[in-house]
């Protein structure tokens, strides 16, 4: 209790004087959130007064405004600390590995010490400190946020709208079991647990097929709720409107229908709502990461599924300009950056296409945010660069190519990865199979060396420069 009160007092004080930023690093599963946060921390920690050549596009580093950056204890002592040291050790191994995917919530806090260059403080040569709070969490959990606005029937019918041919092929096992239930009969705990497990297997199979829209997200990454009845329900996405009305009118609270509805409501109110209120209701700035290349490798269905997932994710954040009152009582996101990751898996001439593809993917959400009058940017980056671009001469012509250690066979290869479509591809794009993007392993990081990256400095410039 005391820790909570103390944390809130610190937050109010920092917001009053605009001394802190809470950064939401959001993205779908496997979009590279942990790698992004690891690199962001690393780039900032390597800023010094002598040489900041690793961040040429970050003006506050280039002109000496930033005096130094260090990690400090976070305000919320109940949340695990982001394991930056372990992630760095993974990159320093021989052979090196990318940081492991997130399996739970973690947090880190940075203190950025700088010369004040704005207002009266610039004449007094006053120094200031900006506190940057960054949170990491599983991407799977993000897609539960839309459940906050949906009751059990609405959620089931929503999923019914997006039953694609790919999903129909994967959902046969759990649907066969669920359809055999007499939903008005008294519920059996073991039966519900068995069908929920089968539904979880279906969600995991969707992930294997490159699909991103997975609900409920905790089913595939349950954390401390593993085995709890709160995760033993499933949608009734096969019922007709008249069947819903009959069950809502006649089924008792102890029936299969009643128990399923009760468990969904509990999950929505006590798991999802708590997650949202604790971590997502008070952010100041946001990045949304998306791996656009992997769905291009999979299928048209996977690409459309990612677009749906991004639009659903976007709906649960508050956007708008910040002023004193909003900083204190209703923090809103005033800067938003959409980022396509793995830009090191394509040649530099394809980066504009990747950015354009990202822009079109989120166009619906982007228009909404622009209407609210916030700053929006689009970029393509590599938080941890795994390849080197080289020039290859073939038949007297020079081509740009990539060189790196290919993940599938750990061989050093030089290849041309193919062209990225400049606009949202149609279904026949996948039938042609004109390219395949390979995955690459990271390069080994020397101790004390900053993590190699592509355009992380442009991200820092957008997110932080106006506060320094």
């Amino acid at each position: 209790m005391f820790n909570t009160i103390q944390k809130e007092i610190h937050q109010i004080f920092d917001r009053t004087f605009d001394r802190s930023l809470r950064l939401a690093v959001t993205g779908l599963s496997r979009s590279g959130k942990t790698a992004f946060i690891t690199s962001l921390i690393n780039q900032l920690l390597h800023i010094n007064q002598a040489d900041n050549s690793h961040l040429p596009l970050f003006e506050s580093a280039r002109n000496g405004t930033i005096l130094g950056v260090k990690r400090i204890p976070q305000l919320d002592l109940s949340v695990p600390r982001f394991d930056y040291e372990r992630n760095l050790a993974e990159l320093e191994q021989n052979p090196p590995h990318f940081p492991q995917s997130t399996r739970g919530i973690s947090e880190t806090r940075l203190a950025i010490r700088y010369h004040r260059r704005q207002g009266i403080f610039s004449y007094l040569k006053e120094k200031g400190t900006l506190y940057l709070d960054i949170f990491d969490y599983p991407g799977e959990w993000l897609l539960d946020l839309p459940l906050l606005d949906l009751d059990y029937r609405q959620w089931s019918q929503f999923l019914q709208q997006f039953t694609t041919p790919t999903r129909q092929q994967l959902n046969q096992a759990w649907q066969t079991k669920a359809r055999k239930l007499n939903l008005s009969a008294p519920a059996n705990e073991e039966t519900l647990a068995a069908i929920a497990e089968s539904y979880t297997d279906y969600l995991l199979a969707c992930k294997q097929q490159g699909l991103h829209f997975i609900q409920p997200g905790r089913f595939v990454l349950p954390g401390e709720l593993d085995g709890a009845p709160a995760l033993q329900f499933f949608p009734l996405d096969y019922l007709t409107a008249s069947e819903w009305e009959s069950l809502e009118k006649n089924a008792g609270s102890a029936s299969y229908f009643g128990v399923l509805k009760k468990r969904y409501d509990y999950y929505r109110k006590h798991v999802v709502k708590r997650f949202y209120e604790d971590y997502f209701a008070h952010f100041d700035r946001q990045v949304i990461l998306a791996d656009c290349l992997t769905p291009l490798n999979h299928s048209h269905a996977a690409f459309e599924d990612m677009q749906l997932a991004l639009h659903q994710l976007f709906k649960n954040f508050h956007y708008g300009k910040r002023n004193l009152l909003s900083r204190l009582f209703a923090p809103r996101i005033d800067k938003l950056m959409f980022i396509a990751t793995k830009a090191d898996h394509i040649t530099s001439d394809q980066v504009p296409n990747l950015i354009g593809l990202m822009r079109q993917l989120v166009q619906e959400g982007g228009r909404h945010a622009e209407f609210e009058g916030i700053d929006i940017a689009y970029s393509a980056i590599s938080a941890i660069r795994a390849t080197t671009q080289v020039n290859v001469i073939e038949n007297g012509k020079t081509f740009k190519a990539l060189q790196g250690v290919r993940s599938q066979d750990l061989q050093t290869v030089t290849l041309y990865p193919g062209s990225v479509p400049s606009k949202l591809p149609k279904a026949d794009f996948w039938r042609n199979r004109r390219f395949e993007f390979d995955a690459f392993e990271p390069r080994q990081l020397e101790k004390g060396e900053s993590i190699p990256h592509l355009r992380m400095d442009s991200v820092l410039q957008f997110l932080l420069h106006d506060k320094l």
Side-chain angles (χ1 to χ4, degrees):
M1 180 67 176
F2 176 75
N3 177 47
T4 301
I5 295 173
Q6 187 181 45
K7 181 181 74 171
E8 291 178 354
I9 291 172
H10 276 291
Q11 289 175 345
I12 290 174
F13 181 82
D14 288 341
R15 284 178 184 148
T16 302
F17 296 99
D18 211 13
R19 289 183 13 171
S20 71
L21 280 178
R22 287 169 62 89
L23 176 63
V25 181
T26 50
L28 305 177
S29 174
R30 294 168 294 189
S31 62
K33 291 189 306 302
T34 303
F36 177 88
I37 295 173
T38 300
S39 181
L40 186 146
I41 294 171
N42 182 266
Q43 308 308 330
L44 288 173
L45 291 179
H46 276 82
I47 293 176
N48 57 69
Q49 291 291 290
D51 179 18
N52 293 312
S53 57
H54 65 297
L55 297 172
L57 299 180
F58 186 23
E59 186 178 340
S60 298
R62 190 178 68 243
N63 65 16
T65 295
I66 297 178
L67 300 172
V69 181
K70 65 178 181 179
R71 295 183 77 192
I72 61 173
Q74 63 209 47
L75 296 180
D76 192 341
L77 303 182
S78 65
V79 177
R81 188 169 183 256
F82 180 79
D83 203 343
Y84 169 74
E85 290 80 8
R86 184 196 66 185
N87 296 340
L88 209 60
E90 293 270 2
L91 295 170
E92 292 172 351
Q93 287 184 44
N94 187 14
H97 302 287
F98 280 109
Q100 297 178 18
S101 297
T102 307
R103 302 192 65 83
I105 297 169
S106 62
E107 177 184 354
T108 193
R109 181 168 238 226
L110 300 178
I112 304 173
R113 192 73 171 153
Y114 65 98
H115 282 299
R116 292 184 183 271
R117 296 180 181 269
Q118 300 177 13
I120 190 172
F121 295 106
S122 62
Y123 299 101
L124 300 176
K125 297 185 178 180
E126 190 67 30
K127 296 180 177 64
T129 302
L130 178 69
Y131 297 100
L132 180 63
D133 295 296
I134 310 169
F135 297 86
D136 192 23
Y137 41 81
E140 289 86 348
W141 296 3
L142 276 176
L143 289 176
D144 284 345
L145 297 182
L147 304 187
L148 293 170
D149 299 322
L150 303 174
D151 62 23
Y152 185 46
R153 177 175 178 174
Q154 291 170 331
W155 175 58
S156 296
Q157 291 176 334
F158 175 77
L159 293 183
Q160 193 174 33
Q161 298 175 35
F162 298 102
T163 305
T164 62
T166 300
R167 290 180 181 271
Q168 285 180 328
Q169 293 175 3
L170 299 173
N171 70 9
Q172 296 299 313
W174 85 265
Q175 284 248 337
T176 299
K177 296 174 183 176
R179 287 172 184 269
K180 290 179 180 179
L181 284 180
N182 176 0
L183 293 170
S184 297
N188 179 282
E189 293 270 345
E190 293 182 1
T191 300
L192 285 176
I195 300 177
E197 183 177 359
S198 184
Y199 180 69
T200 301
D201 291 339
Y202 154 72
L203 294 179
L204 291 169
C206 287
K207 285 192 66 176
Q208 288 296 319
Q209 291 296 315
L211 302 181
H212 286 83
F213 191 64
I214 306 294
Q215 283 184 340
R218 292 262 186 169
F219 278 43
V220 297
L221 205 59
E224 76 280 3
L225 294 177
D226 191 17
L231 301 190
Q232 292 175 349
F233 63 90
F234 42 86
L236 299 175
D237 56 357
Y238 53 87
L239 295 182
T240 64
S242 60
E243 288 173 327
W244 273 104
E245 291 169 7
S246 176
L247 286 166
E248 288 176 332
K249 183 178 180 180
N250 301 313
S253 60
S255 66
Y256 280 110
F257 179 81
V259 173
L260 285 170
K261 184 175 182 296
K262 180 180 179 181
R263 289 182 177 181
Y264 172 82
D265 289 340
Y266 180 92
Y267 183 82
R268 182 168 64 94
K269 294 176 182 177
H270 296 279
V271 178
V272 181
K273 187 176 181 181
R274 180 182 174 187
F275 178 55
Y276 177 76
E277 290 178 343
D278 286 352
Y279 302 103
F280 290 96
H282 306 291
F283 281 120
D284 302 307
R285 295 191 173 173
Q286 181 182 22
V287 296
I288 295 182
L289 307 176
D291 170 11
C292 300
L293 300 181
T294 300
L296 286 175
N297 266 0
H298 274 283
S299 64
H300 185 221
F303 196 82
E304 286 192 324
D305 196 81
M306 179 183 66
Q307 186 176 19
L308 168 65
L310 281 171
H311 287 170
Q312 290 300 311
L313 182 156
F314 190 85
K315 294 178 179 179
N316 291 90
F317 294 90
H318 301 297
Y319 300 95
K321 288 293 184 183
R322 297 171 80 227
N323 54 39
L324 176 60
L325 290 178
S326 69
R327 289 203 302 267
L328 282 171
F329 303 113
R332 287 174 174 268
I333 292 166
D334 65 345
K335 281 197 170 191
L336 171 63
M337 192 174 214
F338 294 104
I339 298 176
T341 57
K342 301 183 181 179
D344 60 333
H345 286 45
I346 57 175
T347 51
S348 59
D349 57 310
Q350 295 300 310
V351 169
N353 284 4
L354 183 58
I355 295 174
L357 192 62
M358 182 69 184
R359 185 187 296 271
Q360 291 185 53
L361 268 172
V362 299
Q363 187 176 19
E364 178 183 313
R367 283 202 302 268
H368 170 72
E370 286 170 348
F371 179 75
E372 297 290 341
I374 70 169
D375 292 333
I376 293 181
Y378 296 84
S379 187
I381 69 152
S382 174
I384 302 174
R385 186 172 184 172
T387 65
T388 302
Q389 184 168 287
V390 297
N391 291 325
V392 175
I393 299 176
E394 187 173 316
N395 297 326
K397 294 183 178 180
T398 301
F399 299 92
K400 293 179 179 178
L402 297 180
Q403 193 170 80
V405 177
R406 188 165 52 193
S407 296
Q408 67 180 37
D409 55 13
L410 299 181
Q411 296 298 307
T412 299
V413 296
T414 300
L415 52 80
Y416 177 70
S419 300
V420 177
S422 59
K423 56 185 179 180
L424 296 179
K426 297 181 180 179
D428 59 357
F429 178 83
W430 280 267
R431 287 195 289 269
N432 295 330
R433 297 300 291 176
R434 291 170 295 182
F435 64 85
E436 178 139 356
F437 295 101
D438 285 286
F440 291 91
E441 294 299 290
R443 290 178 283 174
Q444 186 177 13
L445 188 68
E446 298 293 331
K447 284 191 178 295
E449 177 189 13
S450 62
I451 294 175
H453 66 90
L454 283 175
R455 285 175 288 281
M456 282 295 291
D457 45 357
S458 66
V459 173
L460 292 169
Q461 174 71 14
F462 179 76
L463 294 175
L464 300 180
H465 176 65
D466 65 319
K467 296 299 177 185
L468 299 170

